[in-house]
Amino acid sequence: SGGGGGNDHSHGSKSKVAENEESPSGFTGRSAVILLAALAVHSILEMTALGLADTFGDSALLSLSIALHQPAESIALLVAFLKSGMPKPEIVKFLSIFSCMGPIGVAIGMAVNDFATPVVDATMLAVVAGTFVYVGATEVIPEEWEDSEHKWKKFLALISGIVSIFAITQYTMTLEGGF
């Protein structure tokens, strides 16, 4: 067998840590893979919504919103994998899988664009928003607040994000002639 030594039949002690046991930082490979799955579903859904966009304006707004939060998702995913103690080649494999989700989502959206009704659009956007809120509320925010250091800065950053989303939503409604 490769790696570690002794009677360990895995690929070294780090992959065993990554699968089931907590690393010294308290993270497991399993929790990182669960975060990957949630973010992959979210990525496919949001990119499907982009593929379903009918106008340049809709495409531009979706692209902007995706561009604003995708780096944070990717960094959070990378940090979760690094904290799990998983070997770097496995991390690269999982992050490569994650990077394929966006193009898959756009392809799905473009493929069904001709058949989508406004109800499908609204449903797709609701599911995308729901997965984003779910991942943020259950994975990212609790993880960030485990450490009490810089708690007020983190709280202000969260509130700033909420206010920014509200402001962007209000601005886009004025562009579309909303109320």
Coordinates of all heavy atoms in Angstrom, one line a residue, residues 88-162:
K88 N -3.4 17.1 -0.6 CA -3.6 18.1 -1.6 C -4.1 17.5 -2.9 O -4.9 18.1 -3.6 CB -2.3 18.9 -1.8 CG -2.2 19.9 -0.6 CD -1.1 20.9 -0.8 CE -1.2 21.9 0.3 NZ 0.1 22.3 0.8
P89 N -3.6 16.3 -3.4 CA -4.1 15.8 -4.6 C -5.6 15.5 -4.6 O -6.3 15.7 -5.6 CB -3.3 14.5 -4.8 CG -2.1 14.7 -4.1 CD -2.4 15.5 -2.9
E90 N -6.1 15.1 -3.4 CA -7.6 14.9 -3.3 C -8.3 16.2 -3.3 O -9.4 16.3 -3.9 CB -7.9 14.1 -2.0 CG -7.5 12.6 -2.1 CD -8.0 11.9 -0.8 OE1 -9.1 12.1 -0.4 OE2 -7.2 11.1 -0.3
I91 N -7.7 17.2 -2.7 CA -8.4 18.6 -2.7 C -8.4 19.1 -4.1 O -9.5 19.6 -4.5 CB -7.6 19.5 -1.8 CG1 -7.6 19.1 -0.3 CG2 -8.1 21.0 -2.0 CD1 -6.7 19.9 0.6
V92 N -7.4 18.9 -4.9 CA -7.4 19.4 -6.3 C -8.4 18.6 -7.1 O -9.2 19.2 -7.9 CB -6.0 19.2 -6.9 CG1 -6.0 19.4 -8.4 CG2 -5.0 20.1 -6.3
K93 N -8.6 17.3 -6.8 CA -9.6 16.5 -7.5 C -11.0 17.1 -7.2 O -11.8 17.3 -8.1 CB -9.5 15.1 -7.1 CG -10.6 14.2 -7.7 CD -10.5 12.7 -7.2 CE -11.0 12.7 -5.8 NZ -11.1 11.3 -5.3
F94 N -11.3 17.3 -5.9 CA -12.6 17.8 -5.5 C -12.9 19.2 -6.1 O -14.0 19.5 -6.5 CB -12.8 17.8 -4.0 CG -13.1 16.4 -3.5 CD1 -12.2 15.8 -2.6 CD2 -14.2 15.7 -3.9 CE1 -12.5 14.5 -2.1 CE2 -14.5 14.4 -3.4 CZ -13.6 13.8 -2.5
L95 N -11.9 20.1 -6.0 CA -12.1 21.4 -6.5 C -12.2 21.5 -8.0 O -12.9 22.3 -8.6 CB -10.9 22.3 -6.1 CG -10.8 22.6 -4.6 CD1 -9.6 23.5 -4.3 CD2 -12.1 23.3 -4.1
S96 N -11.6 20.5 -8.7 CA -11.7 20.4 -10.2 C -13.2 20.0 -10.5 O -13.8 20.5 -11.5 CB -10.8 19.4 -10.7 OG -9.4 19.8 -10.6
I97 N -13.7 19.1 -9.7 CA -15.1 18.7 -9.9 C -16.0 19.9 -9.7 O -16.9 20.1 -10.5 CB -15.5 17.5 -8.9 CG1 -14.7 16.2 -9.3 CG2 -17.0 17.3 -8.9 CD1 -14.8 15.1 -8.3
F98 N -15.7 20.6 -8.6 CA -16.6 21.8 -8.4 C -16.5 22.8 -9.5 O -17.5 23.4 -9.9 CB -16.1 22.5 -7.1 CG -16.8 23.8 -6.7 CD1 -18.2 23.7 -6.4 CD2 -16.2 25.0 -6.8 CE1 -18.9 24.9 -6.1 CE2 -16.9 26.2 -6.5 CZ -18.2 26.1 -6.1
S99 N -15.3 23.0 -10.1 CA -15.2 24.0 -11.2 C -15.9 23.6 -12.4 O -16.2 24.4 -13.3 CB -13.7 24.3 -11.5 OG -13.1 23.1 -12.1
C100 N -16.3 22.3 -12.6 CA -17.1 21.9 -13.7 C -18.6 22.2 -13.6 O -19.3 22.1 -14.6 CB -16.9 20.4 -14.0 SG -15.2 20.0 -14.5
M101 N -19.0 22.5 -12.4 CA -20.5 22.6 -12.2 C -21.1 23.8 -12.9 O -22.2 23.7 -13.4 CB -20.7 22.7 -10.7 CG -20.4 21.5 -9.9 SD -21.2 20.0 -10.4 CE -19.8 19.1 -11.0
G102 N -20.3 24.9 -12.9 CA -20.8 26.1 -13.6 C -21.1 25.9 -15.1 O -22.3 26.1 -15.5
P103 N -20.2 25.4 -15.8 CA -20.5 25.1 -17.3 C -21.6 24.1 -17.5 O -22.4 24.3 -18.4 CB -19.1 24.6 -17.8 CG -18.1 25.2 -16.9 CD -18.7 25.3 -15.5
I104 N -21.7 23.1 -16.6 CA -22.8 22.2 -16.7 C -24.1 22.9 -16.5 O -25.1 22.7 -17.2 CB -22.6 21.0 -15.7 CG1 -21.4 20.1 -16.1 CG2 -23.9 20.2 -15.5 CD1 -21.0 19.1 -15.0
G105 N -24.2 23.8 -15.5 CA -25.4 24.5 -15.3 C -25.8 25.4 -16.4 O -27.0 25.5 -16.8
V106 N -24.8 26.1 -17.0 CA -25.1 27.0 -18.1 C -25.7 26.1 -19.3 O -26.6 26.5 -20.0 CB -23.9 27.8 -18.6 CG1 -24.2 28.5 -19.9 CG2 -23.6 28.8 -17.5
A107 N -25.0 25.0 -19.5 CA -25.5 24.1 -20.6 C -26.9 23.6 -20.4 O -27.7 23.6 -21.4 CB -24.5 22.9 -20.8
I108 N -27.2 23.3 -19.2 CA -28.6 22.9 -18.9 C -29.6 24.0 -19.2 O -30.6 23.8 -19.8 CB -28.7 22.4 -17.4 CG1 -28.0 21.1 -17.2 CG2 -30.2 22.2 -17.0 CD1 -27.8 20.6 -15.8
G109 N -29.2 25.2 -18.7 CA -30.1 26.4 -18.8 C -30.3 26.7 -20.3 O -31.4 27.0 -20.7
M110 N -29.2 26.7 -21.1 CA -29.4 27.0 -22.5 C -30.2 25.9 -23.2 O -30.9 26.2 -24.2 CB -28.0 27.1 -23.1 CG -27.3 28.4 -22.6 SD -25.5 28.5 -23.2 CE -25.8 28.9 -24.9
A111 N -30.0 24.7 -22.8 CA -30.7 23.6 -23.5 C -32.2 23.7 -23.2 O -33.0 23.3 -24.1 CB -30.2 22.2 -23.0
V112 N -32.7 24.1 -22.1 CA -34.1 24.2 -21.8 C -34.7 25.6 -22.0 O -35.9 25.8 -21.8 CB -34.4 23.7 -20.4 CG1 -34.0 22.2 -20.2 CG2 -33.8 24.5 -19.3
N113 N -33.9 26.5 -22.4 CA -34.3 27.9 -22.5 C -35.6 28.1 -23.4 O -36.5 28.9 -23.1 CB -33.2 28.8 -23.0 CG -33.5 30.3 -22.9 OD1 -34.3 30.7 -22.0 ND2 -32.9 31.1 -23.6
D114 N -35.6 27.3 -24.5 CA -36.8 27.4 -25.4 C -38.1 27.0 -24.8 O -39.1 27.4 -25.2 CB -36.5 26.6 -26.7 CG -35.4 27.2 -27.5 OD1 -35.1 28.5 -27.4 OD2 -34.8 26.5 -28.3
F115 N -38.0 26.1 -23.8 CA -39.2 25.5 -23.2 C -39.6 26.2 -21.8 O -40.6 25.8 -21.3 CB -39.0 24.0 -23.0 CG -38.5 23.3 -24.2 CD1 -37.2 22.9 -24.4 CD2 -39.4 23.1 -25.3 CE1 -36.8 22.3 -25.5 CE2 -39.0 22.5 -26.4 CZ -37.7 22.1 -26.6
A116 N -38.8 27.1 -21.3 CA -39.0 27.6 -20.0 C -40.1 28.7 -20.0 O -40.2 29.5 -20.9 CB -37.7 28.3 -19.5
T117 N -41.0 28.5 -19.1 CA -42.1 29.5 -18.9 C -41.7 30.4 -17.7 O -40.7 30.1 -17.0 CB -43.4 28.8 -18.5 OG1 -43.2 28.1 -17.2 CG2 -43.8 27.8 -19.6
P118 N -42.4 31.5 -17.5 CA -42.0 32.4 -16.4 C -42.1 31.7 -15.0 O -41.3 32.0 -14.1 CB -43.1 33.5 -16.5 CG -43.4 33.6 -17.9 CD -43.4 32.2 -18.4
V119 N -43.0 30.7 -14.9 CA -43.1 29.9 -13.7 C -41.8 29.1 -13.4 O -41.2 29.0 -12.3 CB -44.3 29.0 -13.7 CG1 -44.3 28.0 -12.5 CG2 -45.6 29.8 -13.7
V120 N -41.2 28.6 -14.5 CA -39.9 27.8 -14.4 C -38.8 28.8 -14.0 O -38.0 28.5 -13.1 CB -39.6 27.1 -15.7 CG1 -38.2 26.5 -15.7 CG2 -40.6 26.0 -16.1
D121 N -38.8 30.0 -14.6 CA -37.8 31.0 -14.3 C -37.9 31.3 -12.8 O -36.9 31.3 -12.1 CB -38.0 32.2 -15.1 CG -37.0 32.3 -16.2 OD1 -36.1 31.5 -16.3 OD2 -37.2 33.3 -17.1
A122 N -39.1 31.6 -12.3 CA -39.3 32.0 -10.9 C -38.9 30.9 -10.0 O -38.3 31.1 -8.9 CB -40.7 32.5 -10.7
T123 N -39.3 29.7 -10.3 CA -39.0 28.5 -9.5 C -37.5 28.3 -9.4 O -37.0 28.1 -8.3 CB -39.7 27.3 -10.0 OG1 -41.1 27.5 -10.1 CG2 -39.4 26.1 -9.2
M124 N -36.8 28.4 -10.6 CA -35.4 28.2 -10.6 C -34.7 29.3 -9.7 O -33.8 28.9 -8.9 CB -34.9 28.3 -12.0 CG -33.4 28.0 -12.2 SD -33.0 26.3 -12.0 CE -33.9 25.6 -13.3
L125 N -35.1 30.5 -9.8 CA -34.5 31.6 -9.1 C -34.7 31.4 -7.6 O -33.9 31.6 -6.7 CB -34.9 32.9 -9.5 CG -34.4 33.3 -10.9 CD1 -35.0 34.6 -11.4 CD2 -32.9 33.4 -11.0
A126 N -35.9 30.9 -7.2 CA -36.3 30.7 -5.8 C -35.4 29.6 -5.2 O -34.9 29.7 -4.1 CB -37.7 30.4 -5.6
V127 N -35.2 28.5 -6.0 CA -34.4 27.4 -5.5 C -32.9 27.8 -5.4 O -32.2 27.5 -4.4 CB -34.5 26.2 -6.5 CG1 -33.5 25.1 -6.1 CG2 -35.9 25.6 -6.4
V128 N -32.4 28.6 -6.3 CA -31.1 29.1 -6.3 C -30.9 30.0 -5.0 O -29.9 29.8 -4.2 CB -30.7 30.0 -7.5 CG1 -29.4 30.7 -7.4 CG2 -30.7 29.1 -8.7
A129 N -31.8 30.9 -4.8 CA -31.7 31.8 -3.6 C -31.8 30.9 -2.3 O -31.1 31.2 -1.4 CB -32.8 32.8 -3.7
G130 N -32.7 30.0 -2.3 CA -32.8 29.1 -1.2 C -31.6 28.3 -0.8 O -31.2 28.2 0.3
T131 N -30.9 27.8 -1.8 CA -29.7 27.0 -1.6 C -28.6 27.9 -1.1 O -27.8 27.6 -0.2 CB -29.2 26.2 -2.8 OG1 -29.0 27.1 -3.9 CG2 -30.2 25.2 -3.2
F132 N -28.5 29.1 -1.7 CA -27.5 30.1 -1.2 C -27.7 30.4 0.2 O -26.8 30.4 1.0 CB -27.6 31.3 -2.1 CG -26.5 32.3 -1.8 CD1 -25.1 32.0 -2.0 CD2 -26.8 33.5 -1.3 CE1 -24.1 32.9 -1.7 CE2 -25.8 34.5 -1.0 CZ -24.5 34.1 -1.2
V133 N -29.0 30.8 0.6 CA -29.2 31.1 2.0 C -29.0 29.9 2.9 O -28.4 30.1 4.0 CB -30.7 31.6 2.2 CG1 -31.1 31.8 3.6 CG2 -30.9 33.0 1.4
Y134 N -29.4 28.7 2.5 CA -29.2 27.5 3.3 C -27.7 27.3 3.6 O -27.3 27.1 4.7 CB -29.8 26.3 2.6 CG -29.6 25.0 3.4 CD1 -30.3 24.7 4.5 CD2 -28.5 24.2 3.0 CE1 -30.0 23.6 5.3 CE2 -28.3 23.0 3.7 CZ -29.0 22.7 4.8 OH -28.8 21.6 5.6
V135 N -26.9 27.3 2.5 CA -25.5 27.1 2.7 C -24.8 28.1 3.6 O -24.0 27.8 4.5 CB -24.7 27.0 1.3 CG1 -23.2 27.0 1.5 CG2 -25.2 25.7 0.6
G136 N -25.2 29.4 3.3 CA -24.7 30.4 4.2 C -25.0 30.3 5.6 O -24.2 30.5 6.5
A137 N -26.3 30.0 5.9 CA -26.8 29.9 7.2 C -26.3 28.7 8.0 O -26.2 28.7 9.2 CB -28.3 30.0 7.2
T138 N -26.1 27.6 7.3 CA -25.8 26.3 8.0 C -24.3 26.0 7.9 O -23.9 25.2 8.8 CB -26.6 25.2 7.4 OG1 -26.3 25.0 6.0 CG2 -28.1 25.4 7.6
E139 N -23.6 26.5 7.0 CA -22.2 26.1 6.8 C -21.2 27.3 7.0 O -20.3 27.2 7.9 CB -21.9 25.5 5.4 CG -22.7 24.2 5.2 CD -22.1 23.0 5.9 OE1 -20.9 23.1 6.3 OE2 -22.8 22.1 6.2
V140 N -21.4 28.3 6.3 CA -20.4 29.4 6.3 C -20.4 30.3 7.5 O -19.4 30.4 8.2 CB -20.5 30.2 5.0 CG1 -19.5 31.4 5.0 CG2 -20.4 29.4 3.7
I141 N -21.6 30.8 7.8 CA -21.7 31.7 9.0 C -21.4 31.0 10.3 O -20.6 31.6 11.1 CB -23.1 32.4 9.0 CG1 -23.2 33.4 7.8 CG2 -23.3 33.2 10.3 CD1 -24.6 33.9 7.6
P142 N -21.9 29.9 10.6 CA -21.5 29.2 11.9 C -20.0 28.9 12.0 O -19.5 29.1 13.0 CB -22.4 27.9 11.9 CG -23.5 28.2 11.0 CD -23.0 29.1 10.0
E143 N -19.4 28.5 10.9 CA -18.0 28.2 10.9 C -17.2 29.5 11.2 O -16.2 29.5 11.9 CB -17.6 27.7 9.5 CG -16.1 27.4 9.4 CD -15.7 26.8 8.0 OE1 -16.5 26.0 7.5 OE2 -14.7 27.3 7.5
E144 N -17.6 30.6 10.6 CA -16.9 31.9 10.8 C -17.0 32.3 12.2 O -16.1 33.0 12.8 CB -17.4 32.9 9.8 CG -16.9 32.8 8.4 CD -15.4 32.9 8.3 OE1 -14.8 33.7 9.0 OE2 -14.9 32.1 7.6
W145 N -18.1 32.0 12.9 CA -18.4 32.6 14.2 C -18.0 31.6 15.3 O -18.2 31.8 16.5 CB -19.8 33.0 14.4 CG -20.0 34.3 13.7 CD1 -19.1 35.1 13.0 CD2 -21.2 35.1 13.5 NE1 -19.7 36.2 12.5 CE2 -21.0 36.2 12.8 CE3 -22.5 34.9 14.0 CZ2 -21.9 37.1 12.5 CZ3 -23.5 35.8 13.7 CH2 -23.2 36.9 12.9
E146 N -17.4 30.5 15.0 CA -16.8 29.5 16.0 C -15.7 30.2 16.8 O -15.6 30.0 18.0 CB -16.3 28.3 15.3 CG -17.4 27.3 14.9 CD -16.9 26.1 14.2 OE1 -15.6 26.0 14.1 OE2 -17.7 25.2 13.9
D147 N -14.9 31.0 16.1 CA -13.8 31.7 16.7 C -14.3 33.1 17.1 O -14.9 33.8 16.3 CB -12.7 31.8 15.8 CG -11.4 32.5 16.4 OD1 -11.4 32.7 17.6 OD2 -10.5 32.8 15.6
S148 N -14.2 33.5 18.4 CA -14.7 34.8 18.8 C -13.8 36.0 18.4 O -14.2 37.1 18.6 CB -14.9 34.8 20.4 OG -13.6 34.6 21.0
E149 N -12.7 35.7 17.9 CA -11.8 36.8 17.4 C -12.5 37.5 16.3 O -13.0 36.9 15.3 CB -10.4 36.2 17.0 CG -9.4 37.3 16.6 CD -8.1 36.7 16.2 OE1 -7.9 35.5 16.3 OE2 -7.2 37.5 15.8
H150 N -12.5 38.8 16.3 CA -13.0 39.7 15.3 C -14.5 39.5 15.1 O -15.1 39.7 14.0 CB -12.3 39.5 14.0 CG -10.8 39.7 14.0 ND1 -10.2 40.9 14.3 CD2 -9.9 38.8 13.8 CE1 -8.9 40.7 14.3 NE2 -8.6 39.4 14.0
K151 N -15.2 39.2 16.2 CA -16.7 38.9 16.1 C -17.4 40.1 15.6 O -18.3 40.0 14.8 CB -17.2 38.4 17.4 CG -18.6 37.8 17.3 CD -19.0 37.2 18.6 CE -18.6 35.7 18.5 NZ -19.2 34.9 19.6
W152 N -17.1 41.3 16.1 CA -17.8 42.5 15.6 C -17.5 42.8 14.2 O -18.4 43.3 13.4 CB -17.5 43.7 16.5 CG -18.2 43.6 17.8 CD1 -17.7 43.3 19.0 CD2 -19.6 43.7 18.0 NE1 -18.7 43.3 20.0 CE2 -19.9 43.5 19.4 CE3 -20.7 44.0 17.2 CZ2 -21.2 43.6 19.9 CZ3 -22.0 44.1 17.7 CH2 -22.2 43.9 19.1
K153 N -16.3 42.6 13.7 CA -16.0 42.9 12.3 C -16.7 41.9 11.4 O -17.2 42.3 10.4 CB -14.5 42.7 12.1 CG -13.6 43.8 12.7 CD -12.1 43.6 12.4 CE -11.3 44.6 13.0 NZ -9.9 44.4 12.9
K154 N -16.8 40.7 11.9 CA -17.6 39.7 11.1 C -19.1 40.0 11.0 O -19.7 39.9 10.0 CB -17.4 38.3 11.7 CG -16.0 37.8 11.5 CD -15.8 36.4 12.2 CE -14.4 36.0 12.1 NZ -14.2 34.7 12.8
F155 N -19.6 40.5 12.2 CA -21.0 40.9 12.2 C -21.3 42.1 11.3 O -22.2 42.1 10.5 CB -21.4 41.2 13.7 CG -22.8 41.7 13.8 CD1 -23.9 40.8 13.7 CD2 -23.1 43.1 14.0 CE1 -25.2 41.3 13.8 CE2 -24.4 43.5 14.2 CZ -25.4 42.6 14.0
L156 N -20.4 43.1 11.3 CA -20.5 44.2 10.5 C -20.4 43.8 9.0 O -21.1 44.4 8.1 CB -19.5 45.3 10.8 CG -19.8 46.0 12.2 CD1 -18.7 47.0 12.5 CD2 -21.1 46.7 12.2
A157 N -19.5 42.9 8.7 CA -19.4 42.4 7.3 C -20.7 41.7 6.9 O -21.2 41.9 5.7 CB -18.2 41.5 7.2
L158 N -21.3 40.9 7.7 CA -22.5 40.2 7.4 C -23.6 41.3 7.2 O -24.4 41.2 6.2 CB -22.9 39.3 8.6 CG -24.3 38.6 8.4 CD1 -24.3 37.7 7.2 CD2 -24.7 37.9 9.7
I159 N -23.8 42.2 8.1 CA -24.8 43.3 7.9 C -24.5 44.1 6.6 O -25.5 44.4 5.9 CB -24.8 44.2 9.1 CG1 -25.3 43.4 10.4 CG2 -25.8 45.4 8.9 CD1 -26.6 42.7 10.3
S160 N -23.3 44.4 6.3 CA -22.9 45.1 5.1 C -23.4 44.3 3.9 O -23.9 44.9 2.9 CB -21.4 45.4 5.0 OG -21.1 46.2 6.1
G161 N -23.2 43.0 3.9 CA -23.6 42.2 2.8 C -25.1 42.2 2.6 O -25.6 42.3 1.5
I162 N -25.8 42.1 3.7 CA -27.3 42.1 3.6 C -27.8 43.5 3.1 O -28.6 43.5 2.2 CB -27.9 41.8 5.0 CG1 -27.6 40.4 5.4 CG2 -29.4 42.1 5.0 CD1 -27.9 40.1 6.9

